[in-house]
Amino acid sequence: MTVEEQRAGGRVSRPEMRLVRRGFGDPAQAVRLLEGPGLEGLADDPVLLDALGATADPDLALLGLARLLEAADEADRHTLRDTLTTAKPLRDRLLGVLGVSAALGDHLARHPHDWHVLVTFELRDMHPGPEDFRRALAEGVERDGHTPADALRIAYRRCLLAIAARDLTGTTDLAQTAAELADLAGATLQTALDLAAAQDREAAEACRLAVIGMGKCGGRELNYVSDVDVVFVAEPREGVDEHEAIKAATRLAAALTRLCADTTGEGTIWPVDANLRPEGRNGPLVRTLASHLAYYQRWAKTWEFQALLKARPVAGDAELGAAYVEALAPMVWQAAARDNFVADVQQMRRRVIDSIPATELDRQLKLGPGGLRDVEFSVQLLQLVHGRTDPALRSGNTLEALAALSRGGYVGRADAASLDRAYRFLRSLEHRIQLYRLRRTHLMPTAEEDQRRLARSLAPLINDDTRSDPVAALRREWKRHAVEVRRLHEKLFYRPLLDAVAELPTGAAGLSPDAARARLEALGYADPAAALRHLSALASGVSRKAAIQRTLLPVLLGWFADSADPDAGLLNFRQVSDALGRTPWYLRLLRDESAAAEQLARVLSAGRLAPDLLLRAPEAVAMLGDPQGLQPRGRAALQAEVLAAVGRAGSTAAAVAAARSVRRRELFRTAAADVLGRLADDPAEALDTAGEALTALNAATLEGALRACVAGWEAANGGLPTRISVIAMGRFGGRELGYGSDADVLFVHEPLLGSLEEDAARAAQAVCHELRTLLAAPSTEPPLLVDADLRPEGRSGPLVRSLASYAAYYRRWSHAWESQALLRAEPVAGDEDLGARFRQLIDPLRYPGVGVPERDLLEIRRIKARIEAERLPRGADPTTHTKIGRGGLADVEWTVQLLQLRHGHELPALRTTRTRAALAAAAGAGLVTAADAEVLDAAWVLASRVRSAVMLVRGRPGDSFPGEARELAGVARYLGYGAGHSGELVDDYRRTTRRARAVVDRLFYGYS
């Protein structure tokens, strides 16, 4: 029931109705308070009622006022009542505080005389500084009746009351309020240090101690309630041993911390947080200046220099504090030259977001996306990049630094103004939330009454009219600013790069060439001059293409910079755009489909293979805009398309070229999906999926090429006198192909009834030779190398044998290694019936009923040892060679294949061409322990993924980690390691393969 309905029913009195119209939510309680002690006679005072109604929370303000008047003595109560009705400035300040802060209302109820502090700061042009606060705190501590610690807390809140009153009545703006809070914090630290020194004079006489403000305290932009971040630096006084001086300084620093943070008596002022010191919580609380310098010169991480950007002496020995800042400043302003600087800063920001509980993400004003930390990180990043050469940017204050960036042209004026407004609103909202209970929080409250109080207190900062629905207006304003902050980071950091090279409208902020190069260097571009040329080519001019790319490039530059090779990403994008820039659908796709643009940027900067495939036929970009465009296609669909393309071709060469063209496009599909993590969430599953896709693709290509070559032979010579089947071997037969794998095969034929053996063999030889030649011929399409060296007699034997010839050879001459190789034989193309009969022929060889004779076991081990000794490339590291090296692919595969040779005849599950499936079957049958199987599987998967990564990054196959740092970083990125963690990848690989080799030694070589 509404208040009006209650009034009509006689439930709401006329006095209550007057209070409802003034914004009171509980008029009945308000009437009781107005008729209670201290407020008698004021219930009908329109001046007071209007003043209460103008506060953020009239009920809260009235309750606080009633408690204050009740607690005051008779004389003070009379003075306050008189002031409330005659002195508007004081009335507005007092009621403004009481209507926002229940905590400060509690303080006034405990210390009612403190309302007089509001008179002290009555003049608008008075801006109290550190000395004013130190004097006020010192006077408070000297008063009788309280311990020094409690007196300090009371005096602190008295000063806080004055700051809040000036803030809430608009006497000061956000920047001045935050600066006063920081000055008050510095004065509190100094007073606490003085108290500690008075209690421990021996320590005070042994050392000089400086307190360095960090974070918001150092930047003079402190919150109402916040940890105060500090660093302690000390030096011994003359004649004092350094060790003793540090012990003394540590006692003083610890005492200072307790005085501010203890919760006894009058409660905590705020925690003093010294965790930004060298080594954090694990490091000593106090160090000498020399010790600080040594740490930052040798061990400090990028984020530590970013933190030092706000360092400022706030208490203690002023000369020592200034020396500290002066000594460390050069290191701060060279931090942007460190390797992976931008990546480190961005990674730290991502870690902050990832650490937010999911239930708080949408309520976070500070840490969440579009929050205060986004503004601070953006500004600090630009400061550190350009502050190396421009001292005007070296401010620890966010708003001052933002203004300097705008004046210097590093940020557009409109963007700087927009970010300034967003930051002021978000900080003001944070301040109001904290003022209510004086609790450290950055979360938007969920209760509607709390949001209503916030909206009314922030009405001057909200664009919408807050009178009808203040809560909705507040939410809209908050979300509007959050979206703007999220949008502006990429624009602030990347857009001026385009201004430096493009013909933009007059008035757009631009960077000098040197500043643009500095920013590109910080982003990780190895050749900034080339990058600027690419940007100029892409963004200059007045064409529609240039206009759209000027819109896209700020975002794309960020995505490129988040890769291991930003230069390659930008170059590849320019080449793709040059090829497709006049194609309407291409620009429309990138402009309208943000996911497609991001996927393109990730693919173009992830290595050479996928971009090389794309650049040969840029129209494949279209599949990035299709939600299903990167799903690998099955063998049936691929073969149908390949055969249709082959059938339309006018010659054998054209037909094979058509099959290769389909293969190139599908290679890009699989590689792009792999790079983007779209094949599967689990790395091992993604590896299997890629292997299946590449196997199906090569099989379909071979089928199409074989059909084309047969048709060509028949067109020239009449009907083919034989049938042909292609048998996949090695990783091809195991459906475990990588991007750089050859297609290992055997060719088998069978003469047709009535055909001469010699004619059939000659025809089969001609067809298979032409197939290999055309698939490997130089072309714009990637070659498919068909390797038939695993055939009987190797390169010395005929390329193609009849089924009967294979049977005769295996019956008389077959070696143990050939039986082992046949474990992965699988028909993939050509005559299916012939392929099935070939499989029947070889099954007794690869799954011998008697297992592996001792002589064959010794031969297999001897061959394996010889391969390890003789085939490792000169100079290759055996601990990182993925194929032949310790614990690599050969180790795992030969171990699994030995188990198949020994037990395949009795265990059907072992009769598979797939390594991981056979290993799992062996574990399931108890031939190996689950632990050993897990070790071998992990090594095989990791080695296979490294080989795939090398091919994706370098564009050519390799069995070892790249030696070039950028290529190694690209491999590490593909494998899930962050920037700067390539060494961890190599260490993890060696650890994994070392464990696998120990298992191989036991299972394969029989070592105990």
Side-chain angles (χ1 to χ4, degrees):
M1 181 180 294
T2 64
V3 172
E4 286 75 7
E5 290 170 339
Q6 294 176 20
R7 179 75 180 89
R11 298 184 184 182
V12 179
S13 66
R14 186 180 299 275
E16 290 175 356
M17 197 63 194
R18 289 201 303 270
L19 294 174
V20 169
R21 294 195 185 100
R22 286 182 167 91
F24 285 83
D26 190 345
Q29 176 179 290
V31 168
R32 288 194 297 273
L33 290 172
L34 286 168
E35 294 174 350
L39 282 166
E40 58 276 358
L42 296 177
D44 293 322
D45 188 330
V47 173
L48 178 60
L49 294 181
D50 288 344
L52 286 166
T55 63
D57 188 338
D59 298 271
L60 183 65
L62 178 57
L63 176 61
L65 180 60
R67 294 176 65 205
L68 170 60
L69 286 166
E70 185 178 358
D73 59 36
E74 186 64 32
D76 214 24
R77 185 182 304 128
H78 177 76
T79 303
L80 179 56
R81 283 171 56 91
D82 184 59
T83 303
L84 284 171
T85 56
T86 60
K88 183 179 188 306
L90 177 59
R91 178 176 63 238
D92 290 344
R93 282 195 288 277
L94 176 60
L95 296 183
V97 169
L98 293 175
V100 168
S101 178
L104 289 176
D106 292 342
H107 174 81
L108 285 172
R110 291 195 305 271
H111 308 282
H113 193 70
D114 280 358
W115 71 268
H116 288 279
V117 75
L118 303 180
V119 179
T120 307
F121 298 106
E122 182 174 356
L123 298 177
R124 283 181 177 272
D125 59 352
M126 182 178 181
H127 298 297
E131 292 304 321
D132 299 297
F133 288 123
R134 287 183 185 179
R135 187 165 46 252
L137 293 175
E139 292 172 357
V141 170
E142 291 172 2
R143 294 181 184 176
D144 296 332
H146 297 94
T147 65
D150 279 347
L152 176 61
R153 290 165 169 72
I154 295 168
Y156 173 83
R157 285 190 172 76
R158 188 181 305 122
C159 293
L160 198 67
L161 175 64
I163 293 173
R166 290 158 51 78
D167 174 20
L168 294 169
T169 54
T171 304
T172 56
D173 65 1
L174 170 77
Q176 180 62 30
T177 298
E180 290 181 8
L181 289 168
D183 290 342
L184 175 58
T188 305
L189 290 168
Q190 182 62 58
T191 306
L193 181 57
D194 292 341
L195 290 173
Q199 295 168 1
D200 191 345
R201 294 193 177 278
E202 181 181 353
E205 292 171 356
C207 66
R208 300 163 57 206
L209 176 64
V211 184
I212 309 299
M214 305 287 283
K216 286 184 167 59
C217 180
R220 294 190 79 230
E221 49 189 13
L222 197 62
N223 295 337
Y224 276 100
V225 187
S226 173
D227 292 355
V228 172
D229 296 308
V230 300
V231 168
F232 296 107
V233 58
E235 293 292 335
R237 294 193 185 276
E238 187 175 355
V240 178
D241 175 73
E242 181 178 300
H243 179 69
E244 293 301 320
I246 293 299
K247 287 172 60 178
T250 301
R251 293 203 305 272
L252 290 176
L256 176 155
T257 301
R258 286 193 299 273
L259 280 167
C260 295
D262 280 354
T263 57
T264 56
E266 288 286 330
T268 300
I269 298 177
W270 21 246
V272 175
D273 189 343
N275 289 334
L276 290 178
R277 66 186 184 269
E279 300 179 78
R281 295 179 181 178
N282 298 322
L285 182 62
V286 183
R287 290 175 182 257
T288 63
L289 178 55
S291 177
H292 277 282
L293 286 172
Y295 173 83
Y296 284 108
Q297 287 166 349
R298 296 188 61 188
W299 308 112
K301 297 179 175 63
T302 298
W303 70 265
E304 292 178 280
F305 292 108
Q306 184 180 359
L308 283 171
L309 190 151
K310 293 181 177 293
R312 176 177 66 92
V314 293
D317 191 297
E319 183 180 349
L320 178 57
Y324 173 90
V325 172
E326 183 180 355
L328 290 176
M331 289 186 246
V332 173
W333 300 111
Q334 290 304 315
R338 295 163 63 93
D339 291 340
N340 303 308
F341 163 71
V342 170
D344 286 347
V345 174
Q346 292 173 337
Q347 179 61 31
M348 183 167 66
R349 178 68 186 116
R350 283 192 288 269
R351 281 199 299 270
V352 169
I353 293 177
D354 292 343
S355 68
I356 302 172
T359 56
E360 296 182 1
L361 191 61
D362 292 337
R363 298 170 55 209
Q364 263 284 356
L365 297 173
K366 177 181 179 181
L367 304 179
L372 290 163
R373 190 56 59 85
D374 268 351
V375 181
E376 293 162 356
F377 265 61
S378 300
V379 170
Q380 289 166 23
L381 201 57
L382 291 173
Q383 281 183 276
L384 290 169
V385 170
H386 299 297
R388 290 183 290 174
T389 55
D390 190 346
L393 305 180
R394 299 177 184 179
S395 170
N397 183 277
T398 301
L399 291 176
E400 290 178 5
L402 179 58
L405 287 165
S406 178
R407 288 193 299 270
Y410 304 99
V411 177
R413 290 185 293 273
D415 290 339
S418 181
L419 204 63
D420 182 279
R421 286 193 298 271
Y423 185 76
R424 289 176 186 272
F425 175 82
L426 292 172
R427 284 296 305 277
S428 297
L429 178 56
E430 179 187 51
H431 280 189
R432 298 298 193 270
I433 293 171
Q434 292 179 344
L435 266 174
Y436 179 54
R437 292 292 185 191
L438 284 183
R439 291 175 181 169
R440 181 177 180 269
T441 180
H442 314 286
L443 297 176
M444 173 70 85
T446 55
E448 186 161 334
E449 59 269 24
D450 292 331
Q451 293 186 9
R452 177 182 175 83
R453 181 179 61 255
L454 292 171
R456 286 170 59 94
S457 73
L458 292 168
L461 298 179
I462 297 177
N463 286 336
D464 292 352
D465 187 350
T466 60
R467 288 173 295 183
S468 60
D469 191 345
V471 172
L474 172 67
R475 292 172 179 169
R476 285 194 299 270
E477 190 73 4
W478 172 33
K479 294 303 179 185
R480 183 178 72 81
H481 284 299
V483 169
E484 183 71 354
V485 169
R486 284 198 299 269
R487 181 187 70 84
L488 278 175
H489 167 69
E490 62 197 27
K491 188 175 182 183
L492 280 176
F493 207 70
Y494 304 112
R495 182 70 189 196
L497 288 169
L498 304 185
D499 296 358
V501 298
E503 299 171 8
L504 296 180
T506 304
L511 296 178
S512 69
D514 287 343
R517 278 192 291 272
R519 192 171 292 191
L520 284 165
E521 285 177 1
L523 284 166
Y525 287 83
D527 189 350
L532 286 173
R533 289 195 299 273
H534 298 324
L535 289 176
S536 180
L538 287 163
S540 295
V542 295
S543 67
R544 177 175 175 272
K545 170 187 172 184
I548 292 176
Q549 292 190 142
R550 282 197 292 270
T551 302
L552 292 170
L553 276 167
V555 188
L556 292 171
L557 282 170
W559 288 325
F560 295 149
D562 195 33
S563 73
D565 196 350
D567 299 80
L570 181 56
L571 171 61
N572 291 332
F573 177 72
R574 180 184 175 184
Q575 292 174 328
V576 172
S577 292
D578 286 347
L580 291 177
R582 297 184 181 276
T583 308
W585 64 263
Y586 168 70
L587 293 173
R588 186 167 59 247
L589 172 71
L590 298 186
R591 183 194 63 199
D592 299 339
E593 301 287 342
S594 60
E598 181 175 5
Q599 288 174 9
L600 177 62
R602 303 293 187 200
V603 168
L604 293 178
S605 56
R608 294 184 181 179
L609 179 63
D612 285 350
L613 294 169
L614 180 62
L615 290 171
R616 293 175 184 181
E619 66 275 4
V621 168
M623 66 177 65
L624 298 176
D626 182 352
Q628 304 300 318
L630 295 181
Q631 293 297 317
R633 301 169 65 196
R635 166 73 186 269
L638 289 171
Q639 186 162 304
E641 182 179 0
V642 168
L643 293 180
V646 166
R648 291 191 296 269
S651 67
T652 302
V656 175
R660 290 175 64 178
S661 177
V662 174
R663 179 173 177 268
R664 183 259 313 139
R665 187 198 64 217
E666 296 304 317
L667 272 176
F668 171 75
R669 187 193 307 275
T670 303
D674 200 353
V675 164
L676 296 169
R678 299 279 291 275
L679 294 178
D681 294 332
D682 178 67
E685 185 180 344
L687 178 69
D688 290 343
T689 302
E692 287 276 10
L694 295 171
T695 299
L697 178 55
N698 282 359
T701 304
L702 278 172
E703 183 70 46
L706 180 60
R707 298 263 187 111
C709 292
V710 167
W713 196 94
E714 291 180 333
N717 302 284
L720 188 71
T722 188
R723 57 175 64 89
I724 300 172
S725 182
V726 182
I727 311 299
M729 301 289 285
R731 296 177 75 83
F732 190 14
R735 288 179 282 171
E736 300 161 348
L737 283 176
Y739 297 100
S741 299
D742 295 344
D744 292 314
V745 302
L746 298 177
F747 292 110
V748 58
H749 80 101
E750 185 176 58
L752 298 178
L753 187 64
S755 300
L756 296 176
E757 179 77 26
E758 294 81 1
D759 293 341
R762 190 180 306 111
Q765 176 80 12
V767 167
C768 294
H769 176 74
E770 184 175 27
L771 177 147
R772 294 180 69 199
T773 301
L774 291 176
L775 285 175
S779 167
T780 57
E781 308 297 348
L784 175 56
L785 302 178
V786 179
D787 188 340
D789 289 352
L790 289 176
R791 65 186 183 268
E793 303 178 76
R795 296 181 183 179
S796 302
L799 178 64
V800 189
R801 286 179 181 264
S802 67
L803 183 63
S805 176
Y806 274 107
Y809 174 86
Y810 288 138
R811 186 168 55 251
R812 298 183 60 190
W813 308 110
S814 178
H815 298 281
W817 71 266
E818 289 179 298
S819 295
Q820 182 183 350
L822 289 170
L823 285 167
R824 297 208 279 184
E826 184 73 16
V828 291
D831 190 282
E832 293 182 7
D833 177 67
L834 179 58
R837 284 188 287 124
F838 181 85
R839 186 191 292 119
Q840 291 173 356
L841 169 68
I842 64 173
D843 275 352
L845 277 80
R846 54 183 178 176
Y847 310 124
V850 294
V852 181
E854 186 65 24
R855 67 177 185 279
D856 288 350
L857 177 60
L858 292 174
E859 177 68 8
I860 290 172
R861 287 172 173 168
R862 186 189 64 79
I863 294 173
K864 175 71 168 68
R866 184 178 175 185
I867 290 173
E868 292 178 22
E870 297 178 2
R871 295 195 181 179
L872 192 70
R874 180 178 297 178
D877 184 350
T879 67
T880 57
H881 196 277
T882 60
K883 186 174 182 180
I884 305 175
R886 181 191 69 189
L889 296 172
D891 269 0
V892 177
E893 290 168 1
W894 283 58
T895 302
V896 172
Q897 289 160 16
L898 185 58
L899 293 171
Q900 290 180 282
L901 289 170
R902 282 177 157 178
H903 305 284
H905 66 283
E906 59 187 4
L907 295 174
L910 282 176
R911 299 172 199 167
T912 174
T913 61
R914 309 202 68 169
T915 302
R916 297 187 69 213
L919 180 59
L927 302 179
V928 297
T929 66
D932 284 349
E934 183 177 351
V935 168
L936 292 177
D937 185 75
W940 190 89
V941 168
L942 181 55
S944 297
R945 294 186 69 218
V946 169
R947 291 183 87 202
S948 291
V950 169
M951 182 63 184
L952 286 167
V953 169
R954 302 177 67 194
R956 60 183 187 275
D959 293 317
S960 292
F961 288 93
E964 200 275 322
R966 251 173 208 271
E967 291 180 345
L968 181 59
V971 170
R973 284 292 186 95
Y974 170 83
L975 291 166
Y977 291 78
H981 295 277
S982 303
E984 292 181 21
L985 163 62
V986 178
D987 290 343
D988 289 346
Y989 180 86
R990 286 180 169 138
R991 186 182 308 110
T992 301
T993 54
R994 184 173 62 248
R995 293 170 180 165
R997 180 61 187 212
V999 176
V1000 170
D1001 284 343
R1002 283 189 286 106
L1003 298 182
F1004 183 83
Y1005 287 110
Y1007 299 153
S1008 60

